[in-house]
């Protein structure tokens, strides 16, 4: 196990009706908040009314900015920064999913940036200050409600970059799994693929003596695998959503990755798909993850054997390890298909013409500073291209 430093201060208020407490919870922290949301689902579901009533009831003033799109855009972030400065907002309340929360975090640090906030994403300059962010989560997926990360799309440059800082961990997040009932069924699959990937990026490692975090990772994966079909069969299954919602937060608040080298190749490869083709993040991960596994498993047979047996329930015993592993990966692909997720890039209407460009962008080769990606196996652009090609279908 490696040395680590774990600090995840986001307060999580979990359960039925918790969104109605948001005004009282924010009152000690803010006089005026920027209420930030997406394309309108919160107005249809009634959540907008509940949150604004709670703010007004507690005497917390608000300005608002809706319109965040999945794969949140830099242009709206810039608008939000200007609005916050004009209105003197002292906290940003994100009501929505990962896209809304990430946009809120970008605005929160952009308010204190002298230059363009995009420079932070491009150069990774440490952020000294950011406004506090609070969230009301409406989809279990990205884990942004407890992470210090934000991922933004620069639509002009067709780049999607992430940035992480302890300053961006939300102050508090409200998670009422009843708010997930209105999700379109396809979003359930997108979210589950993302949650599982957040665990995979930490689970698949060459670090040894990681028994505790191995078990935590496996617990999150098995919980989600068990409960996702239950929620899909009945989108109002509160108990199943509780398990997925809690799993999504635990998957990405950092805990399950402590003491282990991490991977993140699948996320890096997926961001290229989202940046160019605007596909949902979870969809891209569902297509790329099995392809990545088939490409790298030989570099750590023991880890992938453990995954196949402990997580995917493949009988192990004295069988040939590679047979067991490949059956485990097939079972994962079948699980994604059961959730309605596509299996190949061609299912997404993505052809082969930009695969090389994406591989070179993902590894920095396109910008003249190649740095291999991944942890379990270091991947150069030719490896990434091979993975894209094997996912092409
Ligand atoms: O915009 P509205 O109308 O609200 O509709 C949204 C959106 O169309 C809809 N939706 C959300 N909650 C709903 C609902 N519809 C009905 N009922 C509800 N309760 O779902 C759609 C997708 O929303 P989005 O916020 O894009 O989903 P998600 O949470 O999957 O976020 C994806 C983004 O998070 C980033 C991804 O790259 C992607 O841009 N990530 C952020 C991370 C982080 N900050 O730590 C880590 C992740 O790896 C990920 O990269
Ligand atoms: Zn993700």
């Amino acid at each position: 196990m490696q040395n680590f430093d774990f600090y995840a201060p986001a307060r999580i208020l979990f359960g039925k009706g918790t969104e109605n407490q948001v005004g009282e919870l924010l009152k000690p922290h803010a006089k005026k908040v920027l209420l930030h949301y997406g394309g309108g689902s919160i107005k249809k579901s009634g959540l907008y009314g509940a949150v604004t009533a709670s703010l007004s009831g507690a005497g917390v003033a608000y300005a608002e900015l809706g319109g965040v799109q999945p794969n949140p855009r830099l242009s709206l972030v810039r608008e939000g920064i200007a609005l916050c400065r004009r209105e003197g907002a002292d906290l940003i309340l994100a009501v929505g999913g990962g896209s809304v929360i990430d946009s809120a975090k970008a605005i929160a640090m952009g308010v204190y940036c002298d230059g363009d906030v995009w420079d932070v994403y491009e150069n990774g300059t440490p952020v000294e200050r950011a406004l506090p962010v609070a969230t009301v989560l409406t989809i279990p997926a990205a884990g942004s409600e407890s992470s210090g990360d934000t991922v933004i799309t620069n639509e002009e440059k067709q780049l999607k970059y992430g940035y992480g800082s302890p300053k961006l961990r939300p102050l508090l997040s409200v998670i009422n799994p009843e708010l997930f009932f209105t999700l379109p069924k396809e979003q359930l699959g997108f979210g589950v693929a993302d949650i599982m990937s957040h665990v995979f990026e930490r689970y698949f490692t060459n670090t040894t003596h990681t028994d505790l975090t191995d078990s935590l990772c496996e617990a999150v994966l098995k919980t989600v695998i068990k409960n996702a079909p239950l929620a899909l069969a009945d989108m109002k299954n509160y108990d199943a959503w509780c398990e997925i919602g809690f799993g999504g937060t635990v998957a990405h608040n950092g805990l399950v990755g402590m003491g282990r080298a991490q991977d993140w190749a699948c996320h890096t490869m997926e961001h290229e798909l989202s940046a160019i083709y605007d596909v949902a993040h979870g969809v891209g991960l569902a297509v790329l993850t099995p392809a990545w596994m088939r490409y790298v498993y030989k570099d750590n047979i023991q880890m992938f054997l453990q995954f196949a047996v402990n997580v995917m329930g493949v009988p192990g015993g004295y069988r040939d390890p590679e047979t067991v592993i490949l059956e485990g990966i097939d079972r994962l692909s079948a699980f994604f298909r059961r959730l309605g997720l596509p299996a190949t890039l061609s299912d997404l209407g993505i052809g082969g013409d930009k695969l090389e460009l994406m591989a070179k962008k993902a590894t920095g080769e396109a910008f003249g500073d190649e740095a291999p990606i991944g942890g379990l196996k270091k991947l150069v652009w030719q490896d990434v291209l091979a993975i894209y090609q094997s996912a092409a279908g």
Side-chain angles (χ1 to χ4, degrees), residues 231-245:
L232 192 65
D234 171 10
M235 292 293 282
K236 295 194 169 156
N237 184 331
Y238 179 76
D239 297 322
W241 278 123
C242 279
E243 303 287 358
I244 300 168

Side-chain angles (χ1 to χ4, degrees), residues 88-127:
D90 45 15
L91 182 147
I92 306 180
L93 174 59
V95 183
S99 296
V100 175
I101 301 171
D102 286 3
S103 182
K105 290 174 178 175
I107 295 169
M109 60 182 177
V111 164
Y112 293 113
C113 282
D114 292 332
D116 186 7
V117 69
W118 180 251
D119 296 344
V120 177
Y121 291 84
E122 214 154 43
N123 307 328
T125 335
V127 162

Side-chain angles (χ1 to χ4, degrees), residues 37-46 48 66-68:
Y37 53 91
S41 74
I42 69 160
K43 290 201 170 157
K44 262 188 244 152
S45 68
Y48 174 88
V68 180

Side-chain angles (χ1 to χ4, degrees), residues 141-166:
S144 189
E145 69 278 9
S146 66
S147 81
D149 303 329
T150 159
V151 189
I152 292 293
T153 296
N154 182 326
E155 60 272 43
E156 284 161 22
K157 295 189 173 178
Q158 289 202 325
L159 293 173
K160 184 175 181 183
Y161 283 170
Y163 176 76
S165 163

